[in-house]
Amino acid sequence: MAARGGDAASAGSAGAWTLRHVHLSLRVAFAAGGAGRLRGSARLELCARPARGGGGERVLRLDTHRSVNVRGAALLPPPGTPRPGDPPGPDALQPLPVRTEPFASFGRALLITVPSAEQRLSLRIDYEAGGGPGVCWLAPEQTAGKQKPFMYTQGQAVLNRSFFPCFDTPSVKCTYSATVKVPEGFVAVMSATSWEKKEDNTFVFEMSHPIPSYLIALAVGDIVAADVGPRSRVWAEPCLIEAAKKEYDGVIEEFLAVGEKLFGPYVWGRYDILFMPPSFPFGGMENPCLTFVTPCLLAGDRSLADVIIHEISHSWFGNLVTNASWGEFWLNEGFTMYAQRRISTEVYGLAYTCLEAATGRALLRQHMDNTGEDHPLNKLRVVIEPGINPEDTYNETPYEKGFCFVSYLAHLVGDQSKFDAFLQAYVNRFKFQSITADDALGFFLEYFPELKEKGVDSIPGLEFSRWLDTPGWPPFLPDLSPGDALMKPAEELAELWAADGLNMEAIEGVDITAWRTYQLVYFLDQVLQKSPLPQGNVEVLSKMYPKISRSQNAELRLRWCQIILKNDLEAEYSKVKDFLHSQGKQKYTLPLYRAMWAGSEAARALAMETFSATAPQLHVNVQNYVKKILGLE
């Protein structure tokens, strides 16, 4: 599909071409103690769009990376002769001139000169990759099983240019296929609608729907699968598969079915989950058909199973309807947060969903307090200047302020069922496309002509343009008061723990055994806000609630570690160290290093000691962020 507009983060000439299909033919080789290699080719099937002027040659510009070694490019016979994926005979190849040019710190431009007479092109680019930020190689000790190495790719936002030469922009979508040969004893999985193992440990994949380059994902490791529903299975290392099956058996289908009822058909066929090694830096990555998730979700008691609702919601918002540029990331994440909370309301009720949304709002408040409300990243339509890595613009705003804006649109409609119907129509109108905020809001006003007539896009103080282009706190906040029934007891209990003399009778009168994860999280957030607590209170709290202080639930562990650090409870520093050794998720890792660095000398020493021990198991981006926090670069 053709590109929409310009993307300052891409070196590609996507506007001059329509990309129809990509085929990857790769061999994966692991190396002892370091980055392995991917060797093979990318085949691109393109149509030239009408160009101004004539001339005998035109230049195709693609995104690549300094870590990618392009060995050559050639023009292939027209698609269909031979079949895509079959190697053509050497006589059929027409070598093409290739060169690279600098572009930005996060990529280079690959220039291939092609004959302008050809309107439909099949190109093969032979290359080697493996040393770049989008291709992650883990030594056996960085995996859960600690027996075999593991590799995976992470495309979002602009990392897949180090996996294969491409138009690395969310504005371009195409179908893809792949043939991947891996060493014996390993399994390959991809974000694809079909998966087949052939002889010679070669795996064949097909994605029959058009997707942007950042959603093409590969993982290779010692992994096995278990069915957990009629269209879902979990993949994990053998030592984790039983825990994964127990945690998710029967859970995913319920979430998918509610999503379909609200937003329309689930078009991707399967919804599988791959539990990644502990160093995976994200909570989840919504690669279509195969979400990559942190093993932190395996709490042992299903207390974090609902986190997967966010990734499932991306099946409609983000994967099916995609932001055309990273400057409008709220179109992916704001709509997904809204969809996640709609599913959660149907499954868990309004009170619990409002409570979860309140924790999200607190994260947004924290972020805006840290940066200042008028920081240019605190608007929904961010201008990403040439040379700026979109990764560096990542923050809470597109998620939580985006959620508030979508909630405001629902508030304007005033009828939940009508707004649900709009979301279905929106998905149906823009499926398999990449869109801008103007497209989305234009469709909203077209769908509700009575609102357009009222001029709802220009209500003073709530103008759509203000939401998009003015940094600051959301001008409208959805009503979260249905969560009060769960929030009030948590607030009152936190007050009791913050008192100078502990009223143990009142504390013991509050039974927290039935509290679900987000009620406990909300309680701990309140305790953290009131910290440091009076001397000795945290030690008593720790003994009183082993459900919290010894929890394996990562959301609770994060808050408990933050409380330990804010109260300088050196006796429990080992819990901070253990948590940071057990996982490398960015959302958990960075706040703890910030807290240690803002703490006592002992806390700073803990930060240095922990980082020097765990740095090799962290994703390169997370390593760099921690180095910045610790002043190491």
Side-chain angles (χ1 to χ4, degrees):
M1 293 168 82
R4 290 283 313 272
D7 181 346
S10 172
S13 55
W17 304 88
T18 300
L19 179 61
R20 302 170 68 84
H21 188 80
V22 170
H23 177 79
L24 300 176
S25 181
L26 299 171
R27 295 171 73 93
V28 177
F30 288 97
R37 300 302 289 166
L38 299 174
R39 295 183 180 87
S41 64
R43 174 185 177 126
L44 279 61
E45 293 176 15
L46 298 143
C47 282
R49 302 176 80 197
R52 293 192 195 117
E57 292 179 333
R58 58 163 68 193
V59 174
L60 167 69
R61 292 173 62 94
L62 296 170
D63 289 296
T64 186
H65 191 267
R66 63 180 177 277
S67 61
V68 176
N69 174 22
V70 174
R71 297 202 304 269
L75 198 58
L76 299 173
T81 55
R83 256 184 4 205
D86 292 348
D91 300 343
L93 300 179
Q94 180 188 334
L96 298 171
V98 172
R99 69 182 196 280
T100 63
E101 284 181 358
F103 172 67
S105 61
F106 53 89
R108 292 180 68 81
L110 174 65
L111 285 74
I112 304 172
T113 306
V114 298
S116 67
E118 301 279 352
Q119 287 307 297
R120 286 192 68 168
L121 301 177
S122 240
L123 292 184
R124 193 176 88 187
I125 303 165
D126 294 316
Y127 75 100
E128 257 189 59
V135 186
C136 307
W137 302 89
L138 306 180
E141 56 273 20
Q142 293 174 278
T143 67
K146 308 204 180 302
Q147 300 299 311
K148 292 182 182 179
F150 192 101
M151 73 78 60
Y152 69 92
T153 66
Q154 165 58 35
Q156 199 178 42
V158 291
L159 299 176
N160 261 359
R161 61 193 67 187
S162 67
F163 172 23
F164 62 99
C166 57
F167 290 133
D168 200 2
T169 169
S171 65
V172 174
K173 292 186 172 185
C174 70
T175 55
Y176 88 89
S177 51
T179 305
V180 183
K181 184 172 179 1
V182 302
E184 283 301 325
F186 289 85
V187 170
V189 288
M190 289 190 84
S191 52
T193 40
S194 71
W195 173 96
E196 194 184 345
K197 184 180 179 183
K198 301 277 193 177
E199 59 194 32
D200 210 18
N201 224 36
T202 297
F203 295 83
V204 178
F205 304 94
E206 183 86 37
M207 168 49 84
S208 55
H209 298 303
I211 60 170
S213 58
Y214 77 89
L215 291 176
I216 297 177
L218 166 69
V220 179
D222 178 15
I223 49 177
V224 291
D227 286 334
V228 291
R231 45 184 164 171
S232 301
R233 64 173 73 97
V234 287
W235 291 88
E237 294 178 61
C239 62
L240 289 180
I241 196 67
E242 278 310 311
K245 187 176 192 309
K246 189 176 153 205
E247 202 91 3
Y248 280 91
D249 206 1
V251 170
I252 295 167
E253 187 57 32
E254 181 183 12
F255 298 154
L256 282 175
V258 174
E260 287 190 302
K261 186 182 89 174
L262 291 171
F263 315 121
Y266 176 79
V267 303
W268 306 98
R270 297 201 60 79
Y271 185 89
D272 295 349
I273 300 177
L274 171 63
F275 285 91
M276 302 295 283
S279 59
F280 186 60
F282 312 103
M285 181 60 217
E286 65 273 13
N287 302 311
C289 307
L290 183 68
T291 289
F292 289 13
V293 296
T294 172
C296 293
L297 295 191
L298 299 176
D301 57 3
R302 293 195 168 186
S303 57
L304 285 176
D306 56 337
V307 173
I308 208 72
I309 297 176
H310 181 85
E311 307 310 331
I312 285 173
S313 300
H314 272 305
S315 305
W316 293 272
F317 305 97
N319 295 4
L320 202 49
V321 182
T322 308
N323 49 231
S325 82
W326 295 117
E328 295 193 324
F329 190 40
W330 77 275
L331 289 168
N332 279 18
E333 294 299 348
F335 274 90
T336 293
M337 292 305 297
Y338 187 86
Q340 168 197 320
R341 288 168 181 156
R342 279 295 294 119
I343 295 175
S344 171
T345 299
E346 295 289 310
V347 176
Y348 298 114
L350 189 57
Y352 186 68
T353 303
C354 287
L355 176 64
E356 181 278 319
T359 65
R361 188 178 293 178
L363 286 174
L364 182 65
R365 182 71 270 169
Q366 210 177 340
H367 159 72
M368 288 205 180
D369 288 346
N370 288 344
T371 60
E373 281 192 15
D374 57 356
H375 191 286
L377 292 182
N378 292 339
K379 56 188 178 183
L380 294 180
R381 185 153 51 194
V382 174
V383 179
I384 300 179
E385 302 287 354
I388 298 295
N389 188 337
E391 197 68 42
D392 295 337
T393 68
Y394 181 89
N395 67 80
E396 290 296 334
T397 302
Y399 291 79
E400 293 296 345
K401 188 173 179 178
F403 165 71
C404 289
F405 189 24
V406 180
S407 300
Y408 175 61
L409 298 179
H411 166 77
L412 289 174
V413 173
D415 179 318
Q416 187 64 63
S417 62
K418 281 185 183 168
F419 192 70
D420 288 347
F422 160 73
L423 289 176
Q424 278 210 29
Y426 168 83
V427 168
N428 199 42
R429 167 71 179 79
F430 295 116
K431 63 187 174 193
F432 306 121
Q433 295 176 54
S434 300
I435 67 166
T436 65
D438 291 343
D439 295 327
L441 297 171
F443 181 70
F444 174 78
L445 295 171
E446 182 189 311
Y447 189 86
F448 295 109
E450 68 283 8
L451 294 181
K452 185 177 185 176
E453 217 170 284
K454 277 188 192 167
V456 295
D457 56 338
S458 50
I459 296 168
L462 292 158
E463 300 91 343
F464 288 1
S465 59
R466 177 182 171 175
W467 277 100
L468 295 175
D469 300 319
T470 305
W473 191 244
F476 169 89
L477 295 170
D479 174 23
L480 302 182
S481 61
D484 288 349
L486 300 173
M487 288 188 256
K488 283 246 157 49
E491 286 163 7
E492 287 162 6
L493 186 59
E495 286 286 350
L496 290 171
W497 282 105
D500 265 330
L502 288 178
N503 180 346
M504 291 311 293
E505 192 182 339
I507 286 169
E508 284 165 6
V510 181
D511 181 10
I512 68 164
T513 50
W515 289 15
R516 290 176 60 87
T517 296
Y518 282 106
Q519 194 170 9
L520 292 169
V521 161
Y522 187 77
F523 164 64
L524 292 177
D525 281 342
Q526 300 294 311
V527 171
L528 184 60
Q529 278 174 27
K530 297 173 194 304
S531 292
L533 302 185
Q535 192 70 36
N537 286 19
V538 178
E539 290 91 331
V540 181
L541 195 154
S542 177
K543 288 194 184 78
M544 175 98 181
Y545 302 137
K547 173 180 178 166
I548 290 171
S549 60
R550 295 188 197 157
S551 176
Q552 288 308 298
N553 178 315
E555 292 290 328
L556 302 182
R557 287 178 84 179
L558 167 67
R559 268 82 178 182
W560 185 245
C561 289
Q562 287 173 308
I563 288 166
I564 288 168
L565 293 166
K566 194 87 182 279
N567 290 276
D568 203 24
L569 191 63
E570 282 191 48
E572 295 205 16
Y573 272 10
S574 62
K575 287 184 176 163
V576 179
K577 193 160 89 175
D578 290 349
F579 187 43
L580 289 170
H581 274 262
S582 74
Q583 55 76 43
K585 185 179 169 183
Q586 187 170 307
K587 180 187 165 190
Y588 300 146
T589 302
L590 302 187
L592 290 180
Y593 277 103
R594 285 192 196 104
M596 285 187 279
W597 206 242
S600 62
E601 281 304 310
R604 285 184 159 216
L606 177 68
M608 285 299 201
E609 176 204 332
T610 306
F611 183 59
S612 85
T614 59
Q617 75 188 37
L618 296 175
H619 185 276
V620 62
N621 287 357
V622 180
Q623 281 181 34
N624 291 335
Y625 291 138
V626 175
K627 282 179 187 168
K628 274 184 193 162
I629 292 166
L630 305 185
L632 298 175
E633 62 169 42

